[in-house]
Structure formats: C-alpha cells, structure tokens
Amino acid sequence: MPQEKAMNTQNEISREENNQHEQVVVEKFDSYIKKIIKNEIIDYKRKKARLYSQELSFDEVDSEQIARIEGYSDDIYSNYYWIYAREKKVCLTSQKLYEALHVLTDLQIYILISLYIDDETQNDVATRLNISRGSLRYQNEKALNLLKEHLCIIEN
C-alpha cells in the first residue's frame, strides 16, 4: 500500500510537471506570435514612412528622373504581400504570415489591422463595426489563436 501511494504521488508530480511544461511552451509560443506581428507592424510603418519621405511632386521631377523611374519594373514589389480587409490594405514582407492571415475572416483581419497596425482602441473599432466590445475581444482572440495554429503547422 505505501508503494502504491508513492507511485500515485510520483505520477501526480509527473503530470503536474508536464502541465507546467505545456503552459510554458504555450506562453513562449504566444510571445513568439506577438513578436512576429509586432515586427511586421514595425516593418510596415517604416516602409510607409520611407515611401512618404520619397514622394515628389511633379514640379520637382526633371526628365532624367522620369526616365530613371520608367526603367523600374514591378519586380520591386515581388517580395511584398498585400492583405485587404474592407477598406484597409496592408503590405507584408512575411509570406508565412500572409498565408496564415488567409485562414481568417475579413472581419478578423480588419480587427487585427485596426487594433495592432492602426493603433485604434477597442471601443472605436467596436463602435465602427456596430458590435459589442466583448464580441470584438472574442473575434480578436479567435483570430490570434487561428494564426498561432496555422503558423505552428507551417513551422512543422
């Protein structure tokens, strides 16, 4: 009998350690996904700022610059992936994230763009979409979980 209790205690400890390990793995993966999204947002904002800083009015452009511009091809955009959700449009550099976003609904993509790229508040987005904040949070969490699942499948 004492041996059985000792074995049961060891099994419980082992299960507890496995549960703790799984929780740590989930937390690390969560932070990994958040870093990916954060880095994509930073890249997007930098590129957007760079494009705005390079804009010229037609009065400032001479014929030599026009000739140089006409020499460019559309290949400069081949490393970019565009995501559209309602009136929002985002340029991504990660093909993996682009593919993962395609498992989401238009509403979920719109919510992610609004909250994480446009830095809008949950209240503003929920009001504009005419849904409750609880529904918005649910859709946000569901979208993030779907992204995690899809990115995990792609990684493996």
Side-chain angles (χ1 to χ4, degrees):
M1 214 47 157
Q3 289 177 343
E4 283 182 27
K5 286 185 180 179
M7 289 288 285
N8 286 340
T9 304
Q10 286 179 340
N11 287 339
E12 287 177 23
I13 291 172
S14 177
R15 271 188 249 128
E16 227 176 88
E17 288 174 351
N18 284 340
N19 288 341
Q20 288 174 348
H21 176 71
E22 287 177 11
Q23 184 64 28
V24 168
V25 169
V26 167
E27 288 173 4
K28 285 183 179 180
F29 192 70
D30 283 352
S31 65
Y32 172 72
I33 295 298
K34 288 177 183 175
K35 282 182 185 179
I36 289 174
I37 291 173
K38 181 180 177 184
N39 288 336
E40 281 294 325
I41 292 167
I42 291 169
D43 285 348
Y44 171 75
K45 288 183 177 182
R46 283 181 183 159
K47 285 178 186 142
K48 190 175 176 181
R50 203 174 322 128
L51 288 173
Y52 285 133
S53 70
Q54 294 173 356
E55 285 183 359
L56 296 172
S57 72
F58 286 113
D59 298 335
E60 300 171 3
V61 180
D62 62 16
S63 59
E64 184 180 314
Q65 288 173 320
I66 292 173
R68 254 193 339 225
I69 291 170
E70 289 174 348
Y72 287 126
S73 70
D74 289 337
D75 290 340
I76 61 172
Y77 297 108
S78 63
N79 294 330
Y80 300 108
Y81 305 93
W82 294 92
I83 283 286
Y84 302 91
R86 300 183 186 213
E87 76 272 1
K88 298 197 180 270
K89 173 178 158 183
V90 176
C91 178
L92 303 171
T93 57
S94 168
Q95 183 178 2
K96 289 179 184 178
L97 184 58
Y98 173 77
E99 290 170 0
L101 284 169
H102 277 16
V103 302
L104 304 180
T105 66
D106 188 51
L107 174 67
Q108 291 167 334
I109 295 170
Y110 182 84
I111 289 171
L112 291 177
I113 292 171
S114 297
L115 294 177
Y116 298 106
I117 294 176
D118 295 342
D119 293 325
E120 296 180 42
T121 65
Q122 288 183 353
N123 281 340
D124 291 344
V125 177
T127 302
R128 186 171 48 256
L129 293 173
N130 199 24
I131 60 175
S132 68
R133 279 187 49 215
S135 178
L136 179 98
R137 283 194 302 269
Y138 172 77
Q139 289 296 329
N140 181 39
E141 282 299 313
K142 187 174 177 183
L144 291 175
N145 287 333
L146 284 169
L147 279 178
K148 284 186 246 181
E149 286 176 23
H150 194 74
L151 289 171
C152 186
I153 291 169
I154 291 173
E155 291 290 319
N156 293 331

